[in-house]
Amino acid sequence: MLKEIKYLIFIIIISLFIFFTGRYYFSDENIKKSYRAYKNIDEKIKVYSKDLPILENDTQDIIEYVKQTNKKRKKSLIFGNF
């Protein structure tokens, strides 16, 4: 009997938590606040992007290609003949 009441209370508490969380999340007030926050972030990005310095590209010809030769290697005495 007590076990069933305990499970019933758990189910009621979990259901109420999900209900109130969903009610707050989908409320008009919360949606307005989130859109305002997105708008403020977009405005801040626009302001900061105007002040960013543009760097020159200094990576031209940074990689040097080496021509490889096919010389036979000497067999190592330490590691055997692999």
Side-chain angles (χ1 to χ4, degrees):
M1 177 81 174
L2 290 174
K3 192 173 187 180
E4 289 85 10
I5 293 174
K6 182 174 77 170
Y7 287 138
L8 180 65
I9 291 173
F10 286 155
I11 291 173
I12 290 172
I13 290 173
I14 292 170
S15 301
L16 287 174
F17 175 77
I18 291 172
F19 172 74
F20 286 120
T21 303
R23 185 174 160 199
Y24 173 76
Y25 182 73
F26 293 112
S27 69
D28 290 334
E29 182 181 342
N30 187 40
I31 292 172
K32 287 179 186 177
K33 285 181 183 179
S34 64
Y35 283 129
R36 286 184 195 141
Y38 292 143
K39 186 178 179 181
N40 288 340
I41 290 171
D42 288 339
E43 289 174 1
K44 287 180 182 179
I45 288 173
K46 287 178 185 177
V47 169
Y48 289 133
S49 65
K50 291 178 183 177
D51 297 333
L52 287 175
I54 297 176
L55 302 175
E56 294 181 18
N57 186 2
D58 62 348
T59 59
Q60 296 296 329
D61 299 325
I62 196 80
I63 298 175
E64 295 178 10
Y65 293 99
V66 179
K67 186 176 179 181
Q68 294 182 357
T69 59
N70 291 331
K71 293 183 180 178
K72 292 184 178 180
R73 293 185 181 178
K74 295 182 180 179
K75 294 182 181 178
S76 175
L77 297 176
I78 297 172
F79 295 113
N81 296 330
F82 290 111

